[in-house]
Structures are given as structure tokens and as C-alpha cells.
Amino acid sequence: MPQPPHQPHPQPRRRQTTAETEQHGTEQHGTAPRATERPGTEERFVEAAPGIRLWTEQRGPVDAPPLLLVMGAQATGVGWPEPLVDALAAHHRVIRYDHRDTGRSTWSFEERPYRIADLAADVVAVLDGLGVERAHLVGMSLGGMLVQMALADRPERLLSATLIGTCALSTTPYTRPDGGTVPVAELPGIAPEVLELWARPVVDQGEEAEIARRITHWRALAGGQLPFDEGYFDALERRVVAHTGHHHVGTAHGRADDGGMLRTDALARNAVPVLVVSAPAEPVFPPPHPRHLAQVIGNAAVVEVPGMGHALPPQTHRPLTDAIVAHTGAQRGGR
């Protein structure tokens, strides 16, 4: 399973270690909401499965339509950039969360391996834990695959779905504009420079070296069409490190069993409104993957964000917000 970088954020303050969080998390945090320094924002832990607690954050008006952000592999919820979350929170009650084995959620894979399907079940578990009956879902990369699984398996829980930087969980071939078809296995693959980075062994040489490695990774993922702001991604990674409490690299999602993810027939029957974001500089799931998604998922449309790759730099925040809000606006009648 392709893994975008572990998405970290400003000078790491000393937090509990993973073991300390697991030992003392209930006493310190509990499951009651905890207000943060940002007005209108609450943090809460929800139980996704026995012994599995997921960190969640809610931001925006409590009576606004809920919108759940689902990040990619080994990515924490704070990988969703603050300006983008704030912009969406002007229209929605925005929820983001840490997957298992990321950020402040339970790190359990070494003792209790799980499947990608369990990460998909966590999406609904977050809604359940927060008392949300239905929500708009936005998923990026692996998060887009998890949203497709929720779309297929639990459509009654979704008001809409937005898919970013991902591929279809379908065996249906892609139909070219000329009417010819392309088998899924023959669609364009991951850019060689990204594969080369992912193939390198990760050696812990300290926090600064790890942040530098991640910035190099982001440069490749950004795709090269928009100016690359190294300082922005440095701040992003320092913030994730601060949130997580350490800089160590997780690999659980890349080792998790990914069997049984295909949802070909259910996606074809889908009636939930779906928006597919097309990123012309995407190096992981390049065009025509977005068009393929829109072909094989029922009730789907495509919008392009100019210059976008497999990253969320500042230049993408406004067009992404506009596209998502336009997509969710027609569905605001339901909660």
C-alpha cells in the first residue's frame, strides 16, 4: 500500500511517550471533551475497539453539518493543515482524528496486528464515539480508500464523500475518451522518484534529520507544478512531531493486511454524492486515476485543483475549500 509521509507539525514540546499515553491516557484525558487553546475546538478520545483509543478533534459551530477528515497511511489528523481546517470549519463542524499507530492514538500493531479493513471500521467508530449519525467524509490517499469502503459498506452514515489523491477500489477498467478501455493494472503507477524514496531504509539519526527527510519526501510528493515552500512543510512536520510526542517513523499501515478491500459492485451502485479531486501533478495516483474513480463510482463528479500533487500546500487550500463546500452545500438538509 503506497504510504504518503507521516504527517507531523512546531518545536516538539515534551509529551508522554507512547507507553505513557497508553498507561495514563485514561486518567489524564478520559473520554470527556477537552477544550483547547483554539476557541470552538474540542479534543476527545473515542474507543474504536477494545483497548484501541483514537484521538479526535472537533472544530467549528456545534450545529453545523459534520465533516470528517480521513488522512493517509501513517498520517496523523494534524496532517490536515490548520488553514484548511479553519476554512472548512467556517461551514462545518470539522472532525479529524489520528489513525491507530499514529499521533496520540493507541499504538498496538506490534502486539495486535490489524487489517486495513479495521482502519475503515475506525471511520464509523469515530462517528459513533462522537454521537454523529451522518457526516460528510473527505479522504486523502489511503484515507480516500477508507472512505470508499465506508461508502460501500455503510452508505447510510454518509451525507457525501470527497476523494483526494487515491485510486478506485474497483476492478472495472478505465474507459478512455476515444472509447477504448484500459485494465486497472495498466493505469499509470507511482512516479519513480517517489518509489525510490520509499525504498530507502529509514535510519533514526535524530529529530532534525528525520524532519529533513520528510521535507525531501514532501518535495517529491508535491509534484513540481507549484512553488515548493520548504518552511511550510518544515512547520507542518514539527507540528506533527509535537502532537505525537516523538519523531519515530511508524510502519504499521504498510504492513497491515490489505486483503478484501475491493468494492467494485457496491461502488457502482453508489447513490451518495461523491466528488473526486483531480490533481494534475499527482505522482502517486496520477491522471487518469481521478477520471477512473468517477467512472466506477456511482453519482460521482470530478473537479481539478490546478497544480496540485499528493500534498496540501497553501496554494491548494482555497480551491479545495471552495470545491468541498460547494459539494457539501446541497446536502446540508440532513444531519
Side-chain angles (χ1 to χ4, degrees), residues 7-10 38 57 59 67 69-72 75-89 94-96 138 140 164 218 232-233 235-237 239-240 308 310-318 320-321 324:
Q7 326 214 348
H9 290 188
R38 187 183 290 267
E57 179 198 82
R59 185 180 306 179
L67 184 147
L69 302 174
V70 186
M71 244 304 165
T76 72
V78 296
W80 293 99
E82 293 298 320
L84 178 61
V85 175
D86 282 339
L88 292 171
V94 177
I95 304 162
R96 57 182 178 172
V138 179
M140 182 169 183
I164 306 169
W218 278 122
Y232 169 83
F233 286 99
L236 175 70
E237 291 298 334
R239 187 157 164 250
V240 175
M308 185 175 175
H310 200 80
L312 299 172
Q315 302 96 317
T316 68
H317 297 172
R318 178 63 180 270
L320 267 178
T321 299
I324 292 170

Side-chain angles (χ1 to χ4, degrees), residues 34-85:
R34 184 172 73 88
T36 68
E37 66 279 0
R38 187 183 290 267
T41 300
E42 291 182 353
E43 295 180 10
R44 180 194 293 260
F45 283 81
V46 302
E47 186 171 3
I52 304 296
R53 300 170 71 241
L54 304 179
W55 173 88
T56 72
E57 179 198 82
Q58 300 178 80
R59 185 180 306 179
V62 295
D63 60 347
L67 184 147
L68 175 63
L69 302 174
V70 186
M71 244 304 165
Q74 295 306 148
T76 72
V78 296
W80 293 99
E82 293 298 320
L84 178 61
V85 175

Side-chain angles (χ1 to χ4, degrees), residues 76-310:
T76 72
V78 296
W80 293 99
E82 293 298 320
L84 178 61
V85 175
D86 282 339
L88 292 171
H91 306 272
H92 288 279
R93 180 67 165 174
V94 177
I95 304 162
R96 57 182 178 172
Y97 71 102
D98 291 343
H99 293 297
R100 306 181 192 202
D101 287 272
T102 74
R104 300 180 186 178
S105 292
T106 302
W107 292 56
S108 62
F109 189 83
E110 300 304 328
E111 296 77 27
R112 288 182 290 170
Y114 47 80
R115 304 169 64 230
I116 296 297
D118 294 316
L119 296 179
D122 288 348
V123 173
V124 175
V126 168
L127 298 180
D128 289 342
L130 298 177
V132 176
E133 183 179 350
R134 302 175 71 205
H136 301 280
L137 267 58
V138 179
M140 182 169 183
S141 197
L142 175 64
M145 300 178 199
L146 302 182
V147 169
Q148 288 179 69
M149 295 172 78
L151 197 63
D153 300 344
R154 301 298 303 274
E156 76 281 3
R157 304 299 299 273
L158 277 72
L159 291 167
S160 75
T162 300
L163 307 176
I164 306 169
T166 194
C167 65
L169 300 182
S170 172
T171 59
T172 302
Y174 167 65
T175 300
R176 299 191 308 256
D178 64 6
T181 60
V182 181
V184 173
E186 296 178 16
L187 289 174
I190 303 168
E193 58 269 27
V194 174
L195 286 175
E196 193 275 329
L197 284 172
W198 286 348
R200 294 180 188 176
V202 179
V203 179
D204 188 352
Q205 296 179 318
E207 182 175 311
E208 293 303 314
E210 173 58 21
I211 289 175
R213 185 191 72 84
R214 297 181 188 185
I215 293 171
T216 298
H217 198 162
W218 278 122
R219 188 182 295 276
L221 288 174
Q225 290 192 17
L226 297 174
F228 184 79
D229 185 344
E230 182 172 322
Y232 169 83
F233 286 99
D234 179 88
L236 175 70
E237 291 298 334
R238 291 184 187 280
R239 187 157 164 250
V240 175
V241 169
H243 172 78
T244 303
H246 61 79
H247 66 275
H248 304 299
V249 176
T251 62
H253 299 169
R255 293 182 288 143
D257 179 1
D258 62 0
M261 292 177 63
L262 289 174
R263 297 291 190 276
T264 303
D265 293 340
L267 290 175
R269 296 191 303 267
N270 172 66
V272 175
V274 175
L275 179 67
V276 180
V277 174
S278 179
E282 169 67 62
V284 179
F285 299 113
H289 279 281
R291 296 288 172 185
H292 180 234
L293 277 159
Q295 288 177 2
V296 303
I297 300 176
N299 202 20
V302 179
V303 64
E304 181 173 303
V305 174
M308 185 175 175
H310 200 80

